[in-house]
Every structure is written in structure tokens, then in C-alpha cells.
């Protein structure tokens, strides 16, 4: 049976006769790696160009159509020492990139307009211009400002209009109003040959606000880029069986419903579908959290993410293979996601408070001055300056600046955010719920009773195990490092047998090794482990194999408990297995054998008591709970669905990123609140000046830029979160 | 004040140049890889192969 990789789904055709592919590359850190890759690829015949993007860890390669197979690029990169995975740039990604470009263009226009208008305004403020020159300066400013606002203000005007049409109110409404009124007022003042015009304020406001928007958008794109890279690095493929009977290793993206897929023993199943032929035991721990093996027989549904243990299976791919579990999960997800969207972001809450206050203040100023006996025009001018000066310039930067800085600090500690608001939600957490399988434990297994096993037995058992493909046997083989004896014979589904110095050795199930009741009893102290027996002559040794705890799980859980978090385990696994882990981590509250709906029920119960819950989980069965929890985290090894519904993903084998994420989020929230208060303080000083009618354009310009810079500098402090080294 | 008639167009013209340069940079993807660009500047891949750069005796 020939097996070759088929990458044709990832190939683009940017021009006639040219093929191109995008790949995610691991291990690119510096200019050296960049040059190595680019030179190494270009040396290949037929390659037209290769360009590395160091920021996103990607390579784009173009070659002459037909000159080479796409697979050879991956091989070449492998030879150069950089494992690579092709991926298809998503259509959705294009929309986000366009949005960023649009904002960046608007920012460029606003910055240009601000510089030039400032040039003119500063001369006007200096005061010794003749009235004619001043008018000319104002007109030139108007000439620059009006088209600039028309272009750069679009993002705000559009969003404000949308909000008003829906009868809602967002931050963009006061912004648009402030900018437009500033322009109208300035043109009117210029027509009347007045000394003061606010063209510079209008444009400066837009510039600072756009800077905030660009940061926000960039953060969103960056998290999405990371997610795309991670998905590519899973590089999930399936062995598709062609009509000719050959099997081709095909990326999941190219597998269609109705295809027939072969899964060999020891391989992870990467598709959902129905078993067509074959019989096997499957490990569903990634899906249901249950560590006991399930059975796969023809007609049964199997799910992506499960591990095929003992026999080869042919699976008919079927997305609609609505297993009861998948149905239930999807149903629960829809409800949970709906509830989640009720969260209101900090900035929006501030806006809801802010906008009405500002408008009422402006109105009160107008009425106040009228009552004080001022004519309506000067009163209106003063009221509008109040609106201009209260425009939420620093407020627009207050939250995104902190988010961007904190997200990159988290990135350095191995936490990738799925959304910016996750930071805000993480900060309010008081209860942490862990899933067990794959979250507290690692997706790989270890021998639990290694200390009690004679090294000689281990070496012999390891040698036998090396002759088998069974995943449990592999664990023993790995632990011993022994090589397979030449005469080992495998009895499918039972074990391995070999002869050593005239003695028969067997490794496998209890019945295969003829273990007596007494010999089996020793295993009772490992209730959460799968057992394998080894028989050498009359001796019988049992190996208890179970999933290893994450190396720092004990310290991190203890540390979190010490910091006052309530900690629980909710698992779909058997109660003995969960209890053992809970005891080891000294977690008092745990529940086992839970279905997805049970996990949600527990979350709701906690929510009703006013707790804010962080859910950490990885399985398909955790996905609804992840979506329903106040905030959620997933390890990088988690199932697709779980990752998609987690607010953040953490890398590596350690649990430390979870603690770091909580600490950084706390800091981020503190800084955000500080920033919001800074903006309030700015208003407390600037608004009385504006109400009293003393706000000149110079005062407005100084106040706005001063507060924006202060807020940005404060956000930068998040980079120096101490004490959470990776 | 006549000097203004020269200076103002010059100042604004320079600003427009800057704006156009910025728009060009955006369109051609100059901001796509902010980390790589710094390394590319100091990469030596534009030098000829070492054997050719050896100092030749002056004739």
C-alpha cells in the first residue's frame, strides 16, 4: 500500500503557470533562520520566490506550475531543520486584514491632516497675525480638515449610524457628534472672521481614536493569526482510500463526506463517521474525558479526536453522523454561546454612562449661559466647546492600549488570547473548575508503579512491548528503551509472546498472562490506571499505566488555592480515577462521570450563587461548559471544538500559564480602570474650564494630547508584570 | 507676507508626499512583517560569494 501526502488543496494560483503555497514554519526566531529558509528554498529548481514573514512565522513559496510537487517543499524545509505545515489562508482572514488596512489608511490621512493643520494653528495661537492672514489660515485648515474628516471619520460615522438606527447608543455617537459639531462651529466662526476655530481639535480627536481602533484591530488579527497557525500545526490528515484501493494521506480540509478513510491501530481518528468494517477498542478520553476504552464495531459512530487502539478501521466520513454525544454537545453549545454574548465590555459600560452625562452637561451649559444673559450664539459656541473637549479621546485608548500590551505579555508566557475582552472577564474570576483528562493530566501516559518494578522485568517487558503497536505497550517500551527481540509474536487483541533462555515471556491482558486472582489484586491501589501484565516463567508483574499529571500541577493548584480561588474538578471519567487525582492535588470538591449537561448545571448553580467561574478543559464534552463559563481556557492539545469556544489557549505541558494568565488579567483590569479614572480626572479639570467659557483651541489641543499620552504610557506598565516567569 | 505664498504650498506639499508614501507602503505590504524587516536590513545575502570577495592584488 503506497502512502503519499497530497497537498493539492493548499496550492493557490496567483498567476498563469505559477503555483503558490503558504506554510506555517516552526522554529523561526531570527534573521539567520529567515535567510537559511529563503536561500534553501530558492536553491530548489523551479522555485520562483520564497518569502518568510518573521512576525507571523509563515513562508510563502511560489514555483513554476508542474516543476515540483508541493510535498517536496515540506520535505526541503524539514531538511533545513524547520518543520512546516501548509495551510489555506481563510477567506474570513481577508476581511479582517482589509478592515485593518482601512483603519490604517484612515489613521494616515488623519495624521497628515493633523500635522498640517497644527502647523497653521500654532501660528494662529501665537497671536500676532493680521486678521486677513488668520482668515486665510483658517480657510486652508478647513480645506484640509473637511475632506480628511470625510475620509478618516468614516469608521466612526458608519458605526454611530448603525447604532442609532437600531435605537442603541455607543461611544461612536458622541464622537461623531463632537467631530461634526467642531467642524460646523469652526466654519461658522471662520465665516464671521472670528479668532478661534477648532479644525485641529476635530482632526486630532480622530487621530487618537483611530490609533486606539488600529491597536484593537491589530490585536484581533494577531490572535486570529496565531489560531490559524495552531490549526495548521495540528496538520491533521486522514488516509483516504481511493477507488483503486490505494490509500493517500490527505489533509482534513480535502476530505469530503462520503469518503472512505482507513485508521490503523495506534493512530488518532481525525474524522467523524460510521465504522464500515473492522473492530477495535477506542480511547475516547479526549472526547468524553473517560479513560476506559470504548468499543468500535461496524455501524457505530466514531468521533474525531479519539484514539484507535487495537484494530484497523475503515470509516465512512459523515459530518451528519449525529452521534448522540455530538448532538447533545451542539445543542448545549448553541444555548451557552447565546448566554455568553450578554457580557458587556468595560469600554461599552463606560460609554453608556459617559455619553448621556456629556450631552446633558453641554445642554445645561447652553441653557445656563442663556439664563445668565448671554446671546444665543456665544452660548452655543461655549456649549459646543464642552462637547469637543469631553470627546472621549483618552477613553478610546484606555482599554485597547492595555489589551495589546497585556496580550503580548501573555503571549510570552504561553497564553494565546482568542478575544480581547477575555482579559476583562478573566480578572473577575473567583472559582476555577478543571477538567481532569488532558487538562490536569497530560495527553500522554506513564507507568504509575514504576518504582515497584524490578529493572530487569522492565527491560524484558519493554523488549516485548517494542514489538507491539498497542499504545499501552508503547508506553512500556518508551520507559525501558529496550529493543524488540527478533522472535516476538503478537497475538492480536491479547498480547505479545517471546522466548528468553528457554523461558516463555508474555506481555498483555490478565488472561493472556494467566494471572491469578492474587496477582491481580495488587493493582487495586491504582484504580485510575489501565493494567498490563507481564509473565516470565512463574513471575507475574503488573504495570499500571495512567495519564501523567502535568509536571507542575501540584504547585500551581496549591498556589491558586492559596491565592483564594475555590477549585473544583468536574470530569466525565470514572469516580475512582477522578478521586485519585483530586487526592493527589488536594482538591476537596470533585464530581465524576458527568455528562456535558451536568457540567453546565454545576456552572449555573455556581453562577446563581454569584460566583464567577473559570473553566479549564480540553475535551469535546467540555466545549459547552467552556462556552457557558464566565471565562475559559484550553490546553493546546485540546479538541478543535473546545479550543474554538475557549477564551484563551495555553501552550506546553505545564499548568503555569493558567496562573500567569490570571495574574496578568488582574493587572490588566487594574490598569484599564486606572486609565478610565485618568480620563475622568482629565474631564474633571477640563470640563469646568470649558463650561466657564475659557477653553480656547490651544487648551483643547493640549488637554487632549496630554491625556492620551498619559493613558498610553500607563498601559505600557503592563509589560513589567513581575513574578510570573514562564 | 509673500513668503507665506511659497512656504505654505511647500509645507503642505511635503505633507502630501508623506501621506502618499504611507499609502504606498500600506498597499505594498510594508507593514505586514514588522520583525523580519529589521533582520533583512543586516542580512548579507546581497554580497557575492566569499570566494569572489577575497582581496585581489592590485595590478
Amino acid at each position: 500500500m503506497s502512502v503519499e501526502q497530497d497537498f493539492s488543496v493548499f496550492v493557490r494560483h496567483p498567476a498563469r503557470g505559477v503555483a503558490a503555497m503558504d506554510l506555517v514554519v516552526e522554529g523561526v526566531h531570527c534573521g539567520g533562520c529567515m535567510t537559511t529558509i529563503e536561500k534553501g528554498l530558492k536553491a530548489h529548481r523551479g522555485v520562483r520566490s520564497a518569502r518568510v514573514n518573521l512576525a507571523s512565522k509563515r513562508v510563502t513559496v511560489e514555483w513554476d506550475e508542474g516543476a515540483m510537487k508541493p510535498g517536496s517543499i515540506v520535505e526541503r524545509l524539514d531538511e533545513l531543520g524547520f518543520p512546516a505545515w501548509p495551510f489555506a489562508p481563510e477567506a474570513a482572514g481577508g476581511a479582517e486584514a482589509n478592515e485593518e488596512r482601512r483603519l490604517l489608511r484612515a489613521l494616515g490621512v488623519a495624521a497628515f491632516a493633523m500635522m498640517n493643520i497644527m502647523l497653521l494653528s500654532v501660528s494662529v495661537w501665537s497671536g500676532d497675525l493680521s486678521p486677513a492672514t488668520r482668515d486665510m489660515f483658517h480657510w486652508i485648515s478647513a480645506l484640509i480638515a473637511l475632506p480628511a474628516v470625510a475620509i478618516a471619520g468614516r469608521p466612526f460615522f458608519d458605526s454611530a449610524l448603525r447604532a442609532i438606527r437600531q435605537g442603541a447608543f455607543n461611544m461612536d455617537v458622541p464622537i461623531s457628534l463632537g467631530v461634526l459639531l467642531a467642524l460646523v462651529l469652526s466654519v461658522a466662526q471662520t465665516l464671521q472672521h472670528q479668532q478661534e476655530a477648532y479644525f485641529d481639535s476635530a482632526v486630532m480627536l480622530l487621530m487618537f481614536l483611530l490609533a486606539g481602533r488600529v491597536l484593537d484591530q491589530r490585536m484581533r488579527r494577531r490572535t486570529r493569526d496565531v489560531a490559524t497557525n495552531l490549526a495548521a500545526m495540528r496538520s491533521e490528515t486522514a488516509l483516504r482510500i481511493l477507488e483503486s484501493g490505494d490509500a493517500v494521506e490527505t489533509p482534513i480540509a480535502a476530505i469530503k463526506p462520503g469518503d472512505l478513510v482507513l485508521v490503523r491501530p495506534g493512530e488518532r481518528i481525525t474524522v467523524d463517521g460510521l465504522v464500515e468494517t473492522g473492530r477495535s477498542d477506542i480511547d475516547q478520553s479526549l472526547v468524553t474525558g473517560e479513560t476506559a476504552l470504548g468499543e468500535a464495531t461496524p455501524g457505530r459512530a466514531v468521533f474525531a479526536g479519539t484514539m484507535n487502539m487495537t484494530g484497523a478501521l475503515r470509516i465512512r466520513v459523515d459530518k451528519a453522523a449525529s452521534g448522540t454525544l455530538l448532538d447533545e454537545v451542539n445543542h448545549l453549545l448553541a444555548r451557552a454561546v447565546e448566554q455568553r454574548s450578554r457580557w458587556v465590555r468595560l469600554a461599552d459600560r463606560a460609554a453608556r454612562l459617559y455619553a448621556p452625562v456629556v450631552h446633558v452637561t453641554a445642554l445645561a451649559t447652553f441653557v445656563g449661559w442663556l439664563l445668565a444673559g448671554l446671546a444665543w450664539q456665544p452660548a452655543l459656541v461655549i456649549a459646543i466647546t464642552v462637547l469637543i473637549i469631553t470627546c472621549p479621546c483618552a477613553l478610546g485608548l484606555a482599554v485597547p492600549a492595555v489589551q495589546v500590551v497585556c496580550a503580548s505579555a501573555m503571549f510570552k508566557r504561553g497564553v494565546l488570547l482568542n478575544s480581547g475582552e477575555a482579559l476583562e472577564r478573566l480578572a473577575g474570576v473567583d472559582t476555577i473548575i478543571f477538567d481532569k483528562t488532558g487538562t490536569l493530566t497530560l495527553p500522554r501516559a506513564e507507568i504509575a508503579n514504576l518504582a515497584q518494578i524490578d529493572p530487569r522485568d522492565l527491560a524484558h517487558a519493554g523488549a516485548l512491548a517494542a514489538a507491539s503497536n498497542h499504545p499501552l505497550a508503547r508506553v512500556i517500551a518508551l520507559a525501558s528503551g529496550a529493543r524488540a527481540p527478533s522472535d516476538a509474536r503478537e497475538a492480536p487483541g491479547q498480547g505479545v509472546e517471546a522466548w528468553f533462555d528457554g523461558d516463555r515471556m508474555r506481555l498483555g491482558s490478565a488472561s493472556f498472562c494467566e494471572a491469578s486472582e492474587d496477582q491481580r489484586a495488587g493493582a487495586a491501589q491504582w484504580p485510575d490506571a489501565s493494567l498490563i501484565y507481564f509473565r516470565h516463567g512463574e513471575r507475574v508483574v503488573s504495570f499500571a499505566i495512567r495519564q501523567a499529571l502535568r509536571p507542575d500541577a501540584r504547585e500551581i493548584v496549591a498556589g491558586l488555592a492559596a491565592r483564594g480561588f475555590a477549585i473544583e474538578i468536574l470530569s466525565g471519567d470514572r469516580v475512582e480515577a477522578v478521586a485519585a487525582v483530586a487526592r493527589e492535588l488536594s482538591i476537596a470538591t470533585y464530581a465524576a462521570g458527568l455528562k456535558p449537561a451536568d457540567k453546565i448545571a454545576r456552572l449555573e448553580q455556581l453562577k446563581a450563587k454569584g460566583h464567577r467561574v473559570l473553566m479549564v478543559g480540553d475535551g469535546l464534552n467540555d466545549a459547552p461548559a467552556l462556552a457557558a463559563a464566565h471565562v475559559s481556557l484550553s490546553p493546546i492539545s485540546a479538541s478543535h471544538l473546545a479550543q474554538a469556544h475557549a477564551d484563551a489557549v495555553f501552550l506546553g505541558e505545564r499548568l503555569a500559564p493558567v496562573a500567569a494568565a490570571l495574574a496578568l488579567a488582574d493587572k490588566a483590569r487594574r490598569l484599564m480602570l486606572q486609565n478610565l479614572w485618568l480620563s475622568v480626572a482629565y474631564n474633571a479639570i477640563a470640563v469646568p474650564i470649558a463650561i466657564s467659557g475659557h477653553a480656547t483651541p490651544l487648551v483643547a489641543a493640549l488637554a487632549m494630547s496630554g491625556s492620551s499620552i498619559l493613558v498610553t504610557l500607563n498601559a505600557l506598565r503592563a509589560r513589567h508584570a513581575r513574578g510570573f516567569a514562564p | 507676507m509673500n513668503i507665506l505664498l511659497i512656504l505654505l504650498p511647500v509645507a503642505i506639499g511635503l505633507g502630501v508626499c508623506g501621506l502618499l508614501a504611507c499609502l504606498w507602503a500600506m498597499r505594498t505590504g510594508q507593514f505586514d512583517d514588522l520583525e523580519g524587516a529589521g533582520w533583512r536590513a543586516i542580512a548579507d545575502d546581497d554580497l557575492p560569494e566569499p570566494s569572489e570577495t577575497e582581496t585581489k592584488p592590485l595590478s
Side-chain angles (χ1 to χ4, degrees):
Chain A
M1 189 173 62
S2 69
V3 174
E4 65 173 56
Q5 284 263 36
D6 175 18
F7 287 129
S8 52
V9 261
F10 298 119
V11 178
R12 294 181 285 123
H13 296 279
R16 222 184 151 74
V18 182
M21 188 159 76
D22 300 289
L23 301 106
V24 175
V25 198
E26 198 183 289
V28 203
H29 298 301
C30 66
C33 315
M34 205 163 72
T35 324
T36 314
I37 292 179
E38 291 186 352
K39 273 193 166 175
L41 282 176
K42 280 180 195 156
H44 212 293
R45 242 174 46 109
V47 172
R48 295 167 72 106
S49 76
R51 190 154 179 101
V52 176
N53 185 327
L54 194 61
S56 59
K57 315 279 183 236
R58 293 172 180 180
V59 190
T60 304
V61 189
E62 289 188 350
W63 67 93
D64 292 322
E65 180 85 71
M68 57 197 283
K69 281 192 181 160
S72 58
I73 294 174
V74 178
E75 283 163 24
R76 180 82 187 121
L77 280 168
D78 243 359
E79 283 167 30
L80 293 169
F82 298 96
W85 296 269
F87 74 101
E90 303 154 62
E96 293 237 355
N98 275 343
E99 177 65 17
E100 190 183 333
R101 214 167 298 143
R102 202 169 73 107
L103 285 173
L104 214 55
R105 202 177 301 139
L107 179 62
V109 170
F112 154 78
M114 194 189 92
M115 280 189 288
N116 284 287
I117 295 174
M118 267 307 163
L119 188 85
L120 299 166
S121 297
V122 170
S123 348
V124 173
W125 295 337
S126 71
D128 36 319
L129 290 179
S130 69
T133 317
R134 195 182 61 216
D135 277 356
M136 181 182 74
F137 277 20
H138 280 166
W139 279 121
I140 298 176
S141 298
L143 222 58
I144 302 171
L146 292 174
V149 169
I151 297 172
R154 276 285 299 284
F156 302 99
F157 302 154
D158 287 351
S159 141
L161 269 182
R162 255 199 315 273
I164 289 176
R165 252 187 237 136
Q166 288 166 5
F169 221 61
N170 63 8
M171 201 62 126
D172 291 334
V173 177
I175 290 171
S176 306
L177 209 61
V179 170
L180 290 178
L181 281 176
L183 281 186
V184 172
L185 172 70
S186 304
V187 172
Q189 295 270 63
T190 310
L191 279 174
Q192 294 171 11
H193 310 289
Q194 294 285 327
Q195 201 174 348
E196 294 171 346
Y198 290 89
F199 294 112
D200 52 291
S201 297
V203 178
M204 187 197 276
L205 246 177
L206 279 184
M207 199 204 69
F208 280 123
L209 289 168
L210 279 167
R213 293 287 156 98
V214 168
L215 286 181
D216 198 38
Q217 184 66 25
R218 175 151 288 186
M219 151 122 187
R220 233 176 281 171
R221 194 176 65 125
R222 182 170 179 178
T223 52
R224 220 224 29 261
D225 276 355
V226 170
T228 315
N229 281 12
L230 293 177
M233 283 163 79
R234 296 165 155 271
S235 76
E236 287 192 319
T237 58
L239 276 180
R240 190 157 62 95
I241 301 173
L242 303 178
E243 284 182 10
S244 63
D246 281 348
V248 184
E249 197 168 345
T250 312
I252 288 300
I255 299 270
K256 289 181 288 297
D259 283 349
L260 198 60
V261 164
L262 174 72
V263 185
R264 293 172 291 195
E267 283 182 347
R268 198 167 278 289
I269 298 173
T270 50
V271 297
D272 293 331
L274 296 173
V275 177
E276 188 119 322
T277 54
R279 244 163 225 290
S280 176
D281 291 327
I282 48 176
D283 173 3
Q284 309 199 26
S285 62
L286 188 58
V287 176
T288 61
E290 196 176 330
T291 44
L293 297 185
E295 202 183 342
T297 49
R300 286 280 282 269
V302 288
F303 303 105
T306 52
M307 178 73 102
N308 182 21
M309 306 292 266
T310 44
L313 293 174
R314 280 166 184 258
I315 297 166
R316 181 71 67 184
V317 181
D318 189 3
K319 260 277 170 251
S322 42
T324 46
L325 175 72
L326 212 57
D327 263 353
E328 188 187 350
V329 164
N330 280 333
H331 174 69
L332 288 170
L333 262 182
R335 262 193 25 216
V337 169
E338 192 180 311
Q339 291 209 337
R340 160 76 62 84
S341 59
R342 287 188 203 150
W343 167 260
V344 186
R345 303 189 355 161
L346 204 56
D348 292 340
R349 270 186 287 170
R352 276 189 199 171
L353 276 177
Y354 193 81
V357 170
V358 166
H359 292 158
V360 168
T361 313
L363 192 70
T365 309
F366 179 61
V367 175
W369 278 109
L370 277 187
L371 292 180
L374 209 64
W376 70 271
Q377 291 111 321
L380 188 63
V381 169
I382 293 175
I384 292 177
T385 47
V386 170
L387 270 185
I388 296 173
I389 219 155
T390 51
C391 231
C393 185
L395 214 54
L397 274 169
V399 173
V402 176
Q403 278 180 351
V404 168
V405 177
C406 276
S408 73
M410 281 204 177
F411 186 73
K412 287 202 189 101
R413 289 166 179 78
V415 183
L416 313 173
L417 288 175
N418 265 345
S419 71
E421 62 181 78
L423 269 176
E424 294 173 23
R425 282 190 271 118
L426 257 176
V429 162
D430 58 7
T431 306
I432 307 175
I433 293 187
F434 287 102
D435 170 48
K436 181 185 77 76
T437 320
T439 305
L440 287 173
T441 64
L442 283 171
R444 66 175 165 77
E446 64 171 8
I447 303 175
N449 57 347
L450 193 61
Q452 299 154 18
I453 294 170
D454 190 330
R456 262 186 321 173
D457 287 334
L458 180 64
H460 287 148
L464 279 178
S468 168
N469 262 334
H470 195 284
L472 292 180
R474 281 194 202 159
V475 176
I476 300 178
L478 209 66
S480 73
R483 299 184 51 175
S486 51
D487 63 339
R489 186 184 64 81
E490 184 162 10
Q494 299 188 69
V496 191
E497 183 184 72
W499 290 87
F500 178 76
D501 287 347
D503 285 332
R504 195 180 62 175
M505 295 193 299
R506 277 186 160 187
L507 179 77
S509 64
S511 57
F512 184 65
C513 294
E514 293 149 19
S516 66
E517 284 301 321
D518 281 359
Q519 285 159 334
R520 289 184 201 196
Q525 54 170 316
W526 307 104
D528 55 332
S530 308
L531 298 172
I532 284 198
Y533 293 87
F534 171 67
R535 185 176 195 95
H536 185 187
E538 289 306 306
R539 290 161 52 75
V540 171
V541 182
S542 59
F543 288 85
I545 294 176
R546 63 166 183 182
Q547 289 181 309
L549 278 181
R550 285 183 187 264
D552 59 347
R554 212 159 302 146
E555 302 111 72
I556 294 294
V557 169
L560 287 173
R563 273 165 57 196
F565 292 104
I567 298 177
E568 293 184 19
I569 301 180
L570 295 185
S571 174
D573 204 358
R574 293 165 297 146
V575 68
E576 309 88 64
V578 180
V581 169
R583 200 167 45 239
E584 221 173 318
L585 297 176
S586 13
I587 298 174
T589 325
Y590 61 88
L594 298 184
K595 293 214 167 52
D598 301 335
K599 291 197 181 187
I600 289 194
R602 176 66 186 148
L603 287 175
E604 309 247 289
Q605 199 184 340
L606 285 168
K607 199 194 269 179
K609 283 190 201 153
H611 291 293
R612 297 197 157 165
V613 181
L614 163 66
M615 173 85 203
V616 191
D618 74 322
L620 186 60
N621 64 331
D622 292 319
L626 289 171
H630 184 59
V631 60
S632 50
L633 279 170
S634 264
I636 186 65
S637 53
S639 66
H640 266 309
L641 201 62
Q643 259 180 36
H645 290 280
D647 291 302
V649 172
F650 65 93
L651 304 173
E653 292 207 331
R654 303 166 68 83
L655 212 52
V658 176
L662 282 166
L664 266 169
D666 264 346
K667 176 145 193 154
R669 188 181 160 83
R670 251 199 332 276
L671 286 174
M672 281 179 198
L673 285 176
Q674 269 176 19
N675 272 353
L676 293 177
W677 280 115
L678 275 176
S679 319
V680 170
Y682 148 80
N683 277 317
I685 298 168
V687 171
I689 298 178
I691 293 179
S692 66
H694 288 93
T696 58
L698 175 62
V699 171
L702 283 179
M704 277 184 201
S705 50
S707 63
S708 296
I709 290 170
L710 201 64
V711 162
T712 313
L713 288 180
N714 191 39
L716 285 177
R717 294 198 306 143
R719 269 193 312 190
H720 309 295
R722 268 177 303 254
F724 316 111
Chain B
M1 279 296 143
N2 276 342
I3 189 71
L4 281 181
L5 296 180
I6 302 168
L7 281 183
L8 277 182
V10 168
I12 294 176
L14 282 176
V16 169
C17 287
L19 178 64
L20 289 180
C22 174
L23 292 179
W24 167 85
M26 243 175 283
R27 211 179 2 259
T28 52
Q30 305 290 318
F31 298 130
D32 284 356
D33 181 10
L34 295 177
E35 283 168 48
W39 288 100
R40 277 179 209 281
I42 55 166
D44 290 336
D45 55 354
D46 51 347
L47 295 181
E49 291 299 306
S51 57
E52 296 167 38
T53 54
E54 276 170 31
T55 27
K56 295 194 177 98
L58 289 169
S59 55

